[in-house]
Amino acid sequence: MPDNWKLKDKSFTKFILNDDIQAKVSELADRINTDLAGKKPLFIVVLNGAFIFASDLLKKVNIDCEIAFVKLSSYVGTNSSGVVQQIIGLDLNIKGRTIVIIEDIVDSGLTLVGFRETLSVMEPAEVLIVACLLKPDAFKNKFPINYLCFSIPNEFVVGYGLDYDGLGRNSSDIYKIVEG
Ligand code: IMP
């Protein structure tokens, strides 16, 4: 992909290279392999955006585990908590399990606030979060992110699974928006 990428009406510039992403993904996988050995975790991949990150990460996870997929849509109500609808839902019994949610990016965190509430009703033993990207200024530490590749400024990014209006997911590098 070029250094500068035009998607519809927006321009993007290369921001995080795939080599740097892969180095972080390997670090996270090593930590997960150590921390969660023997727990047979259930990884829940949040579609659509996390598909590339999850694929790279899970190929490096070498402990016994299961993998499931959900598709979430979040609606922010008049109060500050997200109401999350599962478009593709979870059809497994997770009672007593170690759950690891794999997200592409945590922005406000409201999608995960809602999804964590949905999961907690199902009585898992623990719910951990893996995210490729985090925007700390928007997130404001609402809950722990257990495994994270990169904290980034509050700017719109695409690539490595993330889209702008449906476009841009198919890049191995991450791009950020060029304002103006
Ligand atoms: P949150 O509920 O505000 O944390 O938003 C999470 C979801 O919004 C992510 O899973 C993405 O699908 C989307 N999102 C947030 N920030 C970006 C971005 O910079 N680029 C593309 N999608 C984003």
Side-chain angles (χ1 to χ4, degrees), residues 89-107:
L90 194 62
D91 54 2
L92 295 170
N93 181 2
I94 63 166
K95 191 168 181 177
R97 301 283 307 266
T98 291
I99 304 299
V100 187
I101 301 173
I102 303 183
E103 255 287 28
D104 51 359
I105 185 165
V106 180
D107 185 346

Side-chain angles (χ1 to χ4, degrees), residues 96-132:
R97 301 283 307 266
T98 291
I99 304 299
V100 187
I101 301 173
I102 303 183
E103 255 287 28
D104 51 359
I105 185 165
V106 180
D107 185 346
S108 70
L110 293 178
T111 306
L112 283 184
V113 166
F115 188 49
R116 278 161 46 96
E117 278 169 16
T118 304
L119 291 179
S120 72
V121 176
M122 302 165 82
E123 301 178 41
E126 58 184 335
V127 177
L128 305 173
I129 312 283
V130 187
C132 183

Side-chain angles (χ1 to χ4, degrees), residues 1-7 11-16 155-160 162 168 171-177:
M1 294 293 178
D3 284 351
N4 296 299
W5 200 8
K6 180 107 174 143
L7 295 170
S11 297
F12 296 85
T13 188
K14 213 169 252 191
F15 178 40
I16 306 176
E155 294 171 312
F156 194 79
V157 290
V158 295
Y160 201 62
L162 290 155
S171 162
S172 50
D173 305 306
I174 294 170
Y175 288 71
K176 73 175 175 183
I177 198 160

